[in-house]
């Protein structure tokens, strides 16, 4: 018995001496001070000069014309640049690239498309986009959540991601393989749901596989008849209400691809989070969007790109006509007080070039300050990161970029981002 007590005493002494079982002390958080000629105050629509941001770990501790410079802090002097929050794209497709969209899902394996998605995420981040909403993986299934998880773990560079699974559509609807030999059984780029019950079942499956939110095709395909967009709706208001209720139960939301009426009215009455594309909206739809704060996400850039880069001789004229109509309708939506977020539909055009969307929103009627608020403040709300991204404020994630010049005077400076920090880590300097 004495021998056992002696052995136990020695063991406890060793434990105390070497710290076995004790927690490993946390490494001291990295502290960085960013200094530049200016800092963008998004909410106030003004520049603060000079501009500084104090970053502790992955959060902003201070921001303004002057911040504390703790001993040992790394100081990054960006000279005559303007510090601003990382950009947000509310409508991207990481799993698409320029070329025939329908054929990519047929001839490229999911593994290949996943690698391309990782490269797309890197390109978007290097362009200053530190947060994005992926609106459908076009047949890649749950690979979207795998890419998001790899980014979150720091395995690959990329923006913060909100990922949907495949878009949801009806049999024979938008993005279905309706131009192929039926005997070939070419799969749809979307997940089928033909009733409210099927919508709920598909939503549950996608959330199980890791989707952050749900994308639904509400209209398609589009035609221009006598200067009006004609696009059949795919789901009734009652069916969309079932989808919104199910996503609400799981504390997430629905975004819809929707180009016209009556699909847009059904969607806003059902309570979706966003109307993406929004080519043409009725007065009642616009009134409800303002009342409910449902965002329109215009996606002008994709129409411009297709008008300029199409092997189909008839498509450029059609896309140009659609873009002109969309621009005119956009002015009506602005006048009606419709709230906007910024989304480019990047993927079918090269990743990392989507700041063109903000240029077009200015060209078609918004001021640069309004576009920046739509991108950063409204974008943060739409992605459910309000209070965490979109502004340079204490407590927010340290997602900071730098541009040359004043984005409030020239929105085009967002096309040339020279510095990128995401989550306190510098990716481009």
């Amino acid at each position: 018995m004495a021998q056992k007590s002696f052995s136990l005493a020695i063991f406890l002494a060793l434990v105390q001496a070497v710290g076995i079982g004790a927690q490993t002390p946390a490494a001291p958080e990295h502290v960085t001070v960013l200094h530049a000629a200016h800092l963008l105050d998004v909410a106030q629509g003004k520049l603060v000069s000079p501009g500084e941001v104090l970053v502790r770990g992955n959060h902003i501790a201070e921001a303004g014309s002057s911040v504390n410079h703790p001993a040992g802090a790394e100081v990054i002097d960006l000279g005559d640049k303007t510090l601003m929050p990382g950009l947000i794209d509310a409508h991207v497709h990481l799993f698409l690239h320029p070329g025939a969209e329908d054929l990519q899902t047929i001839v490229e394996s999911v593994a290949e498309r996943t690698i391309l998605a990782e490269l797309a995420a890197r390109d978007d981040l290097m362009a200053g986009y530190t947060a994005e909403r992926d609106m459908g993986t076009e047949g890649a299934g749950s690979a979207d959540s795998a890419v998001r998880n790899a980014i979150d773990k720091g395995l690959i560079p990329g923006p913060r991601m909100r990922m949907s699974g495949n878009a949801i559509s009806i049999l024979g609807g938008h993005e279905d393989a309706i131009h192929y030999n039926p005997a070939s059984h070419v799969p749809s780029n979307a997940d089928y749901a033909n009733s409210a019950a099927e919508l709920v079942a598909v939503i549950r499956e996608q959330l199980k596989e890791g989707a952050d939110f749900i994308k639904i095709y509400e209209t398609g395909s589009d035609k221009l008849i006598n200067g009006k967009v004609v696009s059949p709706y795919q789901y009734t208001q009652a069916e969309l209400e079932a989808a919104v209720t199910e996503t609400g139960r799981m504390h997430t939301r629905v975004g819809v691809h929707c180009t016209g009426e009556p699909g847009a009215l059904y969607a806003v009455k059902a309570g979706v989070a966003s109307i993406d594309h929004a080519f043409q909206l009725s007065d009642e739809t616009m009134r409800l969007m303002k009342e409910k704060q449902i965002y329109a996400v215009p996606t002008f850039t994709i129409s411009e790109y297709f008008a300029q880069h199409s092997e189909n001789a008839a498509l450029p004229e059609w896309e140009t006509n659609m873009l002109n109509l969309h621009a005119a309708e956009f002015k009506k939506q602005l006048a009606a007080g419709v709230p906007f977020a910024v989304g480019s539909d990047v993927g079918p055009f090269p990743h990392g070039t989507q700041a063109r969307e903000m240029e077009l929103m200015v060209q078609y009627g918004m001021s640069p300050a309004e576009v920046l608020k739509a991108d950063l403040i409204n974008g943060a709300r739409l992605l459910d990161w309000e209070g965490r991204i979109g502004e340079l404020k204490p407590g927010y994630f340290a997602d900071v970029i730098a541009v040359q010049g004043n984005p409030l005077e020239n929105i085009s400076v967002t096309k040339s981002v020279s510095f990128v920090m995401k989550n306190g880590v510098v990716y481009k300097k």
Side-chain angles (χ1 to χ4, degrees):
M1 189 68 172
Q3 181 64 37
K4 289 182 179 179
S5 299
F6 179 74
S7 299
L8 179 59
I10 293 176
F11 174 74
L12 292 174
L14 288 171
V15 167
Q16 186 175 10
V18 302
I20 297 174
Q23 291 185 346
T24 302
E29 62 184 0
H30 189 71
V31 179
T32 306
V33 174
L34 305 177
H35 176 88
H38 312 287
L39 178 148
L40 175 65
D41 184 331
V42 182
Q44 297 299 317
K46 66 179 184 180
L47 292 188
V48 174
S49 304
E52 291 192 334
V53 178
L54 173 62
V55 176
R56 290 186 179 275
N58 65 341
H59 283 79
I60 295 172
E62 299 177 35
S65 60
S66 178
V67 301
N68 287 314
H69 288 223
E74 177 186 11
V75 178
I76 300 177
D77 190 340
L78 295 165
D80 60 353
K81 303 294 193 298
T82 298
L83 295 169
M84 57 184 292
L87 301 172
I88 300 171
D89 194 331
H91 192 125
V92 310
H93 295 278
L94 287 185
F95 286 79
L96 290 178
H97 56 83
E101 182 176 325
D102 54 349
L103 292 179
Q104 291 174 33
T105 62
I106 303 302
V107 302
E108 297 171 0
S109 69
V110 172
E112 179 181 357
R113 297 183 66 221
T114 301
I115 293 171
L116 293 175
E118 292 171 348
L119 297 176
R122 177 205 61 192
D123 291 346
D124 288 352
L125 179 64
M126 292 303 112
Y129 284 84
T130 56
E132 295 183 332
R133 187 178 63 148
D134 190 282
M135 295 292 286
T137 52
E138 280 72 32
S142 59
D144 57 353
S145 59
V147 171
R148 178 202 61 212
N149 294 344
I151 292 171
D152 289 347
K153 292 176 181 177
L155 301 176
I156 58 174
R160 303 179 187 279
M161 298 301 307
R162 295 296 194 196
M163 308 292 288
S164 74
N166 289 334
I168 303 175
S169 187
I170 60 174
L171 182 67
H174 190 66
E175 287 293 326
D176 203 352
I178 57 178
H179 300 298
Y180 294 92
N181 174 8
S184 299
H185 301 293
V186 175
S188 170
N189 283 343
D191 288 346
Y192 292 130
N194 292 303
S195 66
E198 290 182 3
L199 272 170
V200 171
V202 172
I203 287 169
R204 290 176 178 175
E205 181 67 25
Q206 290 193 354
L207 294 177
K208 172 188 173 182
E209 293 179 352
D212 296 308
F213 71 100
I214 299 300
K215 177 186 177 180
I216 294 176
Y217 285 128
E218 172 54 3
T219 62
S221 58
D222 304 326
K223 296 179 181 178
L224 275 176
I225 300 178
N226 297 324
K228 297 289 184 181
V229 176
V230 177
S231 187
Y233 71 88
Q234 300 203 156
Y235 295 102
T236 65
Q237 180 182 332
E239 289 169 332
L240 290 175
E241 285 173 348
V244 169
T245 298
E246 179 60 22
T247 53
R249 183 181 72 84
M250 298 301 292
H251 305 288
T252 186
R253 295 189 287 176
V254 173
V256 294
H257 165 113
C258 190
T259 55
E261 301 292 354
L265 184 58
Y266 294 162
V268 298
K269 284 185 173 181
V272 301
S274 66
I275 304 291
D276 288 65
H277 309 304
F279 290 159
Q280 193 166 275
L281 305 173
S282 70
D283 290 345
E284 177 68 0
T285 296
M286 291 188 287
R287 183 188 69 79
L288 286 172
M289 291 177 73
K290 178 181 179 182
E291 177 184 306
K292 295 184 174 186
Q293 287 298 289
I294 294 173
Y295 296 111
V297 183
T299 67
F300 291 118
T301 311
I302 191 70
S303 294
E304 180 187 64
Y305 182 83
F306 284 153
Q308 298 172 351
H309 303 82
S310 177
E311 296 179 1
N312 182 334
L315 190 58
E317 181 180 0
W318 191 91
E319 291 287 355
T320 298
N321 291 336
M322 183 65 82
L323 184 58
N324 291 337
L325 179 143
H326 194 184
E329 291 293 315
F330 179 62
K331 290 179 173 65
K332 295 179 184 178
Q333 294 164 16
L334 282 170
V338 172
F340 289 91
V342 180
S344 66
D345 213 353
V346 69
F349 68 92
H351 281 275
T353 67
Q354 62 261 52
R356 174 62 176 161
E357 185 70 21
M358 290 191 281
E359 281 188 319
L360 290 174
M361 291 177 77
V362 170
Q363 181 178 322
Y364 296 144
M366 291 183 85
S367 71
E370 291 171 329
V371 171
L372 290 165
K373 288 179 183 178
D375 183 65
L376 298 167
I377 294 178
N378 293 353
R381 290 172 181 159
L382 181 55
L383 272 63
D384 285 325
W385 276 316
E386 183 179 8
R388 289 184 283 176
I389 65 171
E391 296 185 75
L392 301 180
K393 297 174 68 174
Y396 281 55
F397 286 123
D399 297 352
V400 189
I401 64 172
V403 296
Q404 180 74 53
N406 184 353
L408 296 170
E409 295 178 352
N410 180 11
I411 198 70
S412 298
V413 302
T414 57
K415 295 172 69 176
S416 301
V417 172
S418 57
F419 173 86
V420 177
M421 169 185 280
K422 192 201 87 174
N423 211 39
V425 177
V426 175
Y427 286 89
K428 183 177 184 180
K429 180 181 176 183

